[in-house]
Amino acid sequence: MKTLWAFFICVLSLSAAAQVTYKCEDNFKVFEGRYLIKEYNDAYKLLSELRVKCPKVNENLYVYGEAILKYEIEVAQTPEERKAMVEDLAALYNEQFVNFPSSGADVKKTQLQLDNKLITTSEAYKAFTASFNKNRQAFMDFNSILAYFYMVLDDFKSGKGMTDEQYFEKYGEISTQVAFAKNKITEDKQTLLKKKETAMLTDVETQFVADAEYIIDALDNVAEVIQKQSRDYVSCEKLEAYYGKSYEDHKNDYNWIDAMVNALYDKKCFKSALLQKGAVALHTIKPTKDTAYRLGMIGLKTGNKEDALKYLEQSASMEANSERKSDIYYQIASSHKNTDKAVAKKYVQKTITLNPKNAQAYLMLAEMYATVPANDECGLNNFERKTLNYLAIDTAKKAEVAEPKYKAAVAAAVKRYEKNLPSKEEAKAMGKRRGDDITFGCWINEKVTLPKL
């Protein structure tokens, strides 16, 4: 009888546990529904109960809870109400970190407390360091990465113990983390866009896709700040020594190489063999418009125009945005305008086709027409070269139509070209008069009809 009674109690216990599990899931769905239709007051009431009774029911409990509490902070009527909500959000982050350690909620908590002066900078530095060392992959927030970098920099500048080597180590680690965060967000966005082709995204996923570009741009800005703030403490020689000694150990680590290439490239270490090696490695592992563009620019900086043209063309072919593709073609044109005018004109025309408002392209082409040297490959005589100024003037004026802000630049260029127009006597000496066509071959490949001289 005792055995049967024990069995009965066990069954009741299991049944009760099942009911609790069911209640957690059921209440979470109700909570989620309230959140999705923005009934935050009702959702907030359910949030408190779920945090206590069902802390592991679903990680979105904390995602939605974060949004709700941020809303409550925003609409708080008094400083006391706001402080209470800030402290509640900090507690939520703490609970999220306990139940979902890989969420990065510990970093969010530290940033929140720092922003609201609930902890000192010194305490935040210790907390960030602990988070960074323990679970670096979750250290993704661009505000926190930048804040942590500034704390490291201040520690180094204080002269209280951080050596040059230790600073470089941190500089490298944080730079790598920026590259990791950027690449991870880019990959996750692409994965979700692929998923969207065959399935509906959740609200959280849809929001992530919507925010991704902004976050990537912010991370690019963080990387730029890190390079600028470190420029007095790093040099091409120091960067090559630091990254060179560890390259073989990290040659398959895309994010590490990405950070190394960014550091060397931003420091303008274009003659660095390590920069070239790393840039080629990135493009080999995962070719993108950015890796191709960077190789193209390195080629231009080092005088290897053949490679530069190849890689910039690759970058342009991968670029979906017409304006950015136009900018790449403008780079190619600029690099060839003094050495190969046929190539330069070809890419100026591509630039203008993709972006008719690129005034600089018109001004570049006008200058090319106006500055054809004597005895160049086109074999023009002095009168023909002067006649090209009519073409230069017409082309320059198109720049003002494209972008009115270039009015002053166009006026200055036109005034300069007008000084070099052929005279009536020069035309008569060549047997030319008003209405005659002067046809130019070579790279120019245009026709000028002489006006009244």
Side-chain angles (χ1 to χ4, degrees):
M1 186 68 182
K2 288 182 179 180
T3 302
L4 286 172
W5 180 249
F7 175 75
F8 178 67
I9 293 298
C10 182
V11 169
L12 284 176
S13 298
L14 289 172
S15 176
Q19 288 177 19
V20 169
T21 301
Y22 173 77
K23 183 180 179 182
C24 282
E25 293 174 352
D26 191 50
N27 284 338
F28 173 75
K29 287 178 181 178
V30 174
F31 164 72
E32 183 176 46
R34 293 287 184 273
Y35 167 79
L36 293 176
I37 61 174
K38 300 187 185 305
E39 291 185 357
Y40 291 157
N41 289 334
D42 290 344
Y44 180 68
K45 294 172 185 176
L46 290 166
L47 175 64
S48 300
E49 181 180 342
L50 286 166
R51 286 168 63 182
V52 174
K53 296 182 178 179
C54 314
K56 294 186 178 182
V57 63
N58 190 306
E59 191 167 1
N60 280 341
L61 170 66
Y62 300 98
V63 176
Y64 301 151
E66 176 185 27
I68 291 168
L69 289 172
K70 283 184 175 180
Y71 169 78
E72 295 293 341
I73 291 169
E74 187 177 335
V75 300
Q77 298 296 308
T78 65
E80 291 75 21
E81 285 180 9
R82 187 182 186 284
K83 182 181 179 183
M85 287 301 167
V86 167
E87 290 175 343
D88 197 17
L89 180 55
L92 180 81
Y93 285 144
N94 193 59
E95 293 158 20
Q96 183 180 11
F97 180 64
V98 169
N99 293 293
F100 298 93
S102 63
S103 62
D106 54 332
V107 180
K108 289 184 178 182
K109 176 186 173 183
T110 301
Q111 187 68 52
L112 176 72
Q113 292 175 318
L114 179 65
D115 290 342
N116 289 277
K117 297 180 173 55
L118 299 178
I119 56 175
T120 64
T121 301
S122 177
E123 289 170 330
Y125 187 20
K126 290 178 182 178
F128 275 146
T129 300
S131 298
F132 193 80
N133 293 337
K134 186 176 181 180
N135 187 13
R136 197 165 299 174
Q137 289 195 334
F139 208 109
M140 297 277 286
D141 181 76
F142 59 86
N143 285 315
S144 298
I145 294 174
L146 184 59
Y148 185 46
F149 165 73
Y150 272 120
M151 291 172 187
V152 170
L153 181 61
D154 288 343
D155 188 9
F156 174 62
K157 289 165 67 175
S158 71
K160 294 181 180 178
M162 183 178 282
T163 65
D164 285 1
E165 183 65 24
Q166 288 172 327
Y167 176 72
F168 251 87
E169 192 70 33
K170 275 295 181 186
Y171 164 86
E173 288 176 351
I174 295 173
S175 295
T176 300
Q177 188 60 23
V178 175
F180 166 76
K182 181 182 172 182
N183 292 327
K184 179 72 165 61
I185 291 167
T186 301
E187 289 170 4
D188 288 349
K189 178 187 175 182
Q190 293 305 316
T191 298
L192 289 174
L193 289 176
K194 188 71 176 174
K195 175 185 173 182
K196 190 178 179 181
E197 294 174 5
T198 57
M200 185 176 292
L201 301 182
T202 67
D203 288 312
V204 172
E205 291 170 336
T206 300
Q207 191 62 50
F208 177 86
V209 171
D211 293 342
E213 273 312 305
Y214 166 76
I215 297 171
I216 290 169
D217 287 344
L219 286 165
D220 280 336
N221 290 333
V222 170
E224 187 176 337
V225 169
I226 290 173
Q227 303 307 327
K228 285 183 178 179
Q229 292 297 319
S230 300
R231 62 188 171 193
D232 292 338
Y233 311 104
V234 302
S235 64
C236 290
E237 293 73 24
K238 287 182 177 181
L239 288 170
E240 284 187 311
Y242 172 73
Y243 284 112
K245 70 180 181 181
S246 305
Y247 186 87
E248 285 303 309
D249 294 334
H250 294 89
K251 63 183 179 182
N252 295 316
D253 184 341
Y254 188 91
N255 297 310
W256 189 90
I257 298 174
D258 194 12
M260 177 197 79
V261 169
N262 281 331
L264 289 165
Y265 186 86
D266 291 341
K267 192 62 180 175
K268 297 181 172 57
C269 308
F270 299 120
K271 294 182 180 179
S272 168
L274 195 59
L275 171 59
Q276 179 72 28
K277 185 178 181 180
V280 170
L282 290 178
H283 192 61
T284 301
I285 296 169
K286 190 195 306 178
T288 68
K289 62 184 181 183
D290 294 328
T291 59
Y293 180 80
R294 193 157 44 194
L295 276 169
M297 295 307 294
I298 292 171
L300 290 181
K301 298 296 184 182
T302 55
N304 189 345
K305 291 191 176 181
E306 185 177 345
D307 272 1
L309 183 59
K310 177 181 72 175
Y311 286 120
L312 289 174
E313 274 281 20
Q314 280 185 25
S315 180
S317 69
M318 297 178 188
E319 180 57 73
N321 182 283
S322 295
E323 192 169 328
R324 287 198 290 264
K325 183 179 288 192
S326 172
D327 290 341
I328 295 172
Y329 287 146
Y330 181 77
Q331 289 279 3
I332 297 174
S334 297
S335 67
H336 286 80
K337 66 181 180 181
N338 296 321
T339 56
D340 192 332
K341 286 184 166 58
V343 171
K345 182 173 181 180
K346 172 185 173 182
Y347 284 97
V348 165
Q349 289 173 323
K350 286 189 173 189
T351 298
I352 292 169
T353 299
L354 286 164
N355 181 16
K357 292 188 176 182
N358 190 323
Q360 289 180 304
Y362 291 111
L363 289 171
M364 181 197 298
L365 187 56
E367 192 68 12
M368 287 167 59
Y369 289 144
T371 56
V372 175
N375 302 316
D376 79 329
E377 71 271 22
C378 294
L380 304 183
N381 59 42
N382 190 51
F383 174 77
E384 289 170 328
R385 287 191 296 108
K386 286 189 173 185
T387 301
L388 273 176
N389 282 284
Y390 287 114
L391 189 56
I393 290 169
D394 288 344
T395 305
K397 287 180 177 179
K398 291 177 182 178
E400 184 179 341
V401 175
E403 287 194 69
K405 70 178 183 179
Y406 279 85
K407 182 177 180 179
V410 170
V414 168
K415 186 176 181 180
R416 191 167 67 251
Y417 302 150
E418 286 176 339
K419 291 180 180 179
N420 296 315
L421 290 172
S423 67
K424 184 175 182 179
E425 290 72 23
E426 287 172 318
K428 187 175 181 180
M430 295 298 296
K432 301 295 181 182
R433 59 185 179 182
R434 179 181 180 181
D436 285 349
D437 290 334
I438 310 295
T439 302
F440 297 92
C442 196
W443 64 268
I444 302 167
N445 197 29
E446 299 285 353
K447 181 176 70 175
V448 173
T449 300
L450 286 177
K452 182 180 179 180
L453 300 175

